[in-house]
């Protein structure tokens, strides 16, 4: 099969179209997209604080059990302390994020409660 020959102008036009498509695909992201990424990263940070606090408490409780010989109590106490610490850290992070949002003038959106979904079932 032979490819049809195209004129130089058609080839340049096609090349320009492909270049503009590539430019549109690699254009900088909008501010809404960047804001959504920031919110997502903060949510992952809070989740990491919750999980990390419990795991650190669990590890410290295990170490206490190993050296003190108080087999179940170190792990139980360490897990509870780690959980309390992780809740405190997550709450502190959430309060800081709310203060930043209020300072920037962002109003939280209220989601109305919809009772109609429950009545249909």
């Amino acid at each position: 099969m032979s490819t049809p020959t195209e004129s130089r102008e058609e080839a340049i036009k096609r090349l320009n179209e492909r270049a503009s498509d590539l430019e549109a695909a690699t254009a900088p992201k909008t501010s809404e997209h960047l804001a959504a990424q920031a919110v997502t990263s903060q949510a992952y940070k809070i989740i990491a604080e919750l999980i990390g606090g419990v795991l650190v408490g669990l590890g410290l409780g295990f170490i206490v059990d190993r050296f003190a010989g108080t087999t179940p109590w170190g792990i139980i106490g360490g897990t509870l302390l780690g959980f309390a610490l992780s809740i405190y850290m997550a709450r502190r992070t959430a309060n800081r994020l709310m203060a930043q949002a209020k300072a920037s003038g962002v109003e939280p959106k209220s989601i109305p409660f919809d009772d109609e979904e429950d009545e249909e079932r």
Side-chain angles (χ1 to χ4, degrees):
M1 281 192 233
S2 66
T3 58
T5 58
E6 59 184 337
S7 70
R8 184 176 185 159
E9 290 80 23
E10 290 173 347
I12 291 174
K13 181 181 174 185
R14 189 171 45 91
L15 183 61
N16 285 335
E17 287 174 359
R18 291 179 65 192
S20 65
D21 290 343
L22 178 64
E23 188 175 311
T26 59
K29 297 176 179 161
T30 63
S31 62
E32 287 180 4
H33 185 66
L34 294 176
Q37 283 182 340
V39 169
T40 303
S41 68
Q42 293 298 329
Y44 281 131
K45 180 180 179 183
I46 291 174
I47 290 171
E49 287 175 350
L50 288 171
I51 294 172
V54 172
L55 291 178
V56 167
L58 186 65
L60 290 176
F62 179 76
I63 291 171
V64 167
D65 277 345
R66 267 307 206 193
F67 292 115
T70 59
T71 299
W73 298 110
I75 289 179
I76 293 170
T79 304
L80 291 175
L81 286 174
F83 180 70
L85 180 65
S86 66
I87 293 294
Y88 170 74
M89 290 186 326
R91 176 69 183 195
R92 188 180 61 182
T93 301
N95 285 341
R96 183 177 46 82
L97 292 174
M98 286 300 294
Q100 286 176 354
K102 285 181 183 177
S104 67
V106 175
E107 291 293 324
K109 294 181 181 176
S110 176
I111 300 173
F113 181 72
D114 188 13
D115 230 3
E116 294 175 5
E117 291 178 4
D118 294 336
E119 293 174 1
E120 292 174 2
R121 292 181 189 172

